[in-house]
Amino acid sequence: MTPIFVLGLQRSGTTWMANQLSALPSVAAVEASDHRGVHESIYFSHFARAFGPWSRLESRVKFAQAFVLSDYGQLLGLTPELLAVDIHNAKGYADLFRIVMDRHARAQGATAWVEKSPHHTLMYGRLARNFPDAKFVLVHRRTEGMILSRLSGFGRTPSTGLKRAADIARAAVVNTLYGRYLKRLSRKKNCFFLRYEELHTDDGALRTALLGFLGVKGQAEDMESQYQANTSFDRAPRRPLSRMDLTVMVTAEILAHAVPLSLLVLAHRVRGAMRGIDWPDWCWKRTGYHPDLYQVRASGDQ
């Protein structure tokens, strides 16, 4: 099975791209309509870090309990008995993920599987080492469109005043840094870089090139998402940024271009160490389970 990882920031089209890939019979994914398509695993950013080293039995037991009850584990059809066998056969967290995803793909008659978690974007190096045969699809969106989507995303009411300026500046800095990071990754042979805006205007040539890069069967016209668009504008209408908004955005972009990319990765690691494991509320929506965060430490294999 060929592993495919879709990397990029939230609100940049990663879900749409993953949904287009999962529409191909040759590509399997873990999907759910309440997530509007391909479900994020947050496996390497969260599960593989939260419960301690794989070599410890206690770590594997705590991990198994949390993962089998997670929405991702439920959608994979995992049971405690099945996961126990998989854990026995696995050499580590990454090996286990490959075992369960390969089985999921075989059950669907696919030759590849796709995983999409924006939290994994800065973990490219680790993923590439653990999955040397993997292909990476890098998705980036222009800052203005991403900001508009973020301001109204997840049912939010767009902020105003100084908070709005701070939100725009922060988003512009992050998107610029991530864009530079993804462009640098695009030089690697196992990476394919594309822009969200180009997907909207693609006549099929871009998707055909992507399919050739991935080496999976299918046609560009088959890449039609089966899910409702994961838009931020269900409740709030799309309104252009004001002149002041654009001034803040452009200023933040200019400043972000002066920041060494090494600081992006460092800031990511420091932030992760300070905040620990920040579990999304949707992770165990189906079962209502949640690990005891006071006893979980981000010290596992990464």
Side-chain angles (χ1 to χ4, degrees):
M1 300 292 171
T2 300
I4 302 171
F5 292 95
V6 177
L7 305 180
L9 277 174
Q10 291 178 327
R11 314 312 312 163
S12 292
T14 54
T15 297
W16 184 33
M17 183 71 259
N19 286 348
Q20 291 181 74
L21 290 172
S22 69
L24 298 168
S26 58
V27 180
V30 176
E31 304 171 82
S33 58
D34 54 320
H35 283 264
R36 296 189 178 182
V38 175
H39 194 301
E40 295 179 24
S41 75
I42 58 171
Y43 183 88
F44 298 95
S45 58
H46 290 64
F47 285 98
R49 296 178 56 234
F51 303 99
W54 181 264
S55 57
R56 289 168 43 192
L57 175 60
E58 181 184 10
S59 301
R60 299 196 299 274
V61 170
K62 289 182 177 180
F63 159 79
Q65 181 182 26
F67 190 55
V68 78
L69 291 174
S70 69
D71 280 21
Y72 204 81
Q74 294 287 297
L75 292 167
L76 277 168
L78 294 179
T79 63
E81 297 76 16
L82 180 59
L83 188 57
V85 173
D86 292 338
I87 289 175
H88 176 75
N89 294 328
K91 299 176 182 178
Y93 287 109
D95 195 37
L96 176 68
F97 191 74
R98 178 139 208 172
I99 289 172
V100 299
M101 292 301 290
D102 280 0
R103 179 173 58 234
H104 182 64
R106 283 195 299 272
Q108 296 188 29
T111 58
W113 49 261
V114 62
E115 193 283 335
K116 183 275 304 184
S117 292
H119 284 91
H120 292 164
T121 299
L122 293 181
M123 304 181 76
Y124 162 81
R126 192 165 294 123
L127 293 173
R129 289 192 298 271
N130 288 326
F131 301 88
D133 58 337
K135 300 294 181 68
F136 296 85
V137 181
L138 318 175
V139 185
H140 188 246
R141 187 176 188 175
R142 291 196 181 101
T143 301
E144 183 175 355
M146 190 274 286
I147 287 175
L148 284 169
S149 184
R150 278 199 171 192
L151 288 174
S152 301
F154 314 107
R156 301 186 185 115
T157 298
S159 53
T160 59
L162 291 177
K163 186 179 186 306
R164 180 181 180 88
D167 289 343
I168 290 173
R170 182 168 53 251
V173 168
V174 171
N175 195 52
T176 300
L177 288 171
Y178 270 71
R180 290 170 56 198
Y181 171 79
L182 293 173
K183 283 295 289 184
R184 178 175 292 184
L185 289 185
S186 69
R187 304 169 190 167
K188 299 182 180 296
K189 294 181 179 180
N190 59 358
C191 293
F192 189 99
F193 179 88
L194 54 84
R195 294 189 182 277
Y196 172 85
E197 294 79 13
E198 293 174 343
L199 283 171
H200 275 284
T201 59
D202 179 38
D203 60 0
L206 180 60
R207 289 170 175 81
T208 298
L210 174 60
L211 291 174
F213 163 78
L214 296 174
V216 297
K217 293 183 179 179
Q219 303 295 323
E221 55 266 26
D222 299 329
M223 296 175 64
E224 186 68 36
S225 174
Q226 304 301 306
Y227 297 92
Q228 182 181 358
N230 188 17
T231 179
S232 296
F233 304 101
D234 288 335
R235 300 178 182 178
R238 180 189 293 267
R239 295 179 179 176
L241 296 179
S242 68
R243 182 174 299 179
M244 179 59 70
D245 292 337
L246 292 172
T247 299
V248 172
M249 182 192 78
V250 172
T251 301
E253 286 181 313
I254 292 172
L255 293 174
H257 275 290
V259 177
L261 277 180
S262 58
L263 290 182
L264 171 64
V265 178
L266 178 61
H268 173 73
R269 290 176 179 172
V270 171
R271 181 173 181 268
M274 293 178 62
R275 295 183 60 177
I277 305 299
D278 188 9
W279 295 102
D281 57 7
W282 45 257
C283 194
W284 291 278
K285 186 167 58 175
R286 285 165 168 75
T287 62
Y289 174 84
H290 198 287
D292 184 355
L293 298 183
Y294 295 101
Q295 296 180 10
V296 170
R297 299 181 62 190
S299 58
D301 299 341
Q302 298 181 38

